[in-house]
């Protein structure tokens, strides 16, 4: 049967249906229990640069995800779900090592908290995304954005560079703006939902 979309799985919220992840298409880290699609591109993961990408336990990286750890370190927390074709690319600003040196790109480290769901076809260039955050499909988080804890970005939201999203915000639009607030219970609900979503991903050796 056809695999349900991420949106369909999130509709089930606390009880998403179990989805099989065959070893022919996915790999699993034996200790961290991280499931990563074999088609995912984790750039910078070399023996001489082991810390270029850090991923917490029970996190799932779907097909054709791209993490640009070759530019600067990317840290992703536990119980995160990164949807198909999502791109995580650190931000940059022009700078000089010395006054007499030419301008060069200075890349900033990217930090993604725990219990974060990143939708399909989303591009993240944010400086930091907090914990308990749900990012819808097709969003764009511009350079050096900061998304605080407990936020919801509705599908298609486009955050301009340097935008700061306060905690408990619901964000929508292009350019994005805060349209409503989440209840204080959002953190507990998002924690439970992300853990249930990651647990529903059943790795099977084939």
């Amino acid at each position: 049967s056809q695999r349900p979309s991420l949106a369909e799985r999130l509709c089930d919220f606390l009880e998403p249906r179990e989805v099989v992840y065959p070893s022919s298409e996915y790999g699993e880290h034996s200790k961290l229990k991280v499931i990563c699609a074999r088609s995912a591109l984790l750039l910078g993961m070399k023996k001489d640069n082991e810390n270029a990408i850090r991923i917490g336990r029970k996190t799932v990286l779907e097909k054709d995800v791209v993490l640009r750890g070759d530019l600067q370190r990317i840290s992703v927390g536990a119980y995160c779900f990164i949807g198909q074709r999502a791109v995580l690319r650190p931000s940059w600003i022009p700078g000089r090592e010395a006054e007499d040196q030419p301008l060069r790109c200075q890349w900033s480290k990217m930090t993604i908290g725990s219990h974060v769901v990143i939708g399909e076809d989303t591009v993240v260039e944010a400086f930091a995304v907090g914990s308990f955050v749900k990012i819808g499909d097709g969003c764009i988080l511009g350079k050096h954005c900061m998304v605080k804890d407990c936020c919801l970005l509705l599908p298609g939201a486009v955050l301009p560079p340097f935008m700061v999203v306060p905690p408990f915000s619901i964000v929508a639009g292009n350019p994005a703006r805060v349209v409503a607030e989440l209840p204080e219970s959002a953190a507990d609900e998002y924690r439970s939902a992300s853990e249930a979503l990651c647990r529903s991903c059943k790795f099977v050796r084939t």
Side-chain angles (χ1 to χ4, degrees), residues 105-121:
C105 291
Q106 294 185 345
W107 299 92
S108 302
K109 298 176 182 178
M110 176 185 288
T111 303
I112 308 293
S114 297
H115 302 91
V116 175
V117 176
I118 298 177
E120 298 173 357
D121 301 300

Side-chain angles (χ1 to χ4, degrees), residues 14 55 68 76 118 129 131 152 161 170 204:
L14 297 181
I55 301 175
R68 293 298 308 273
V76 180
I118 298 177
V129 175
S131 297
L152 170 62
I170 300 177
V204 176

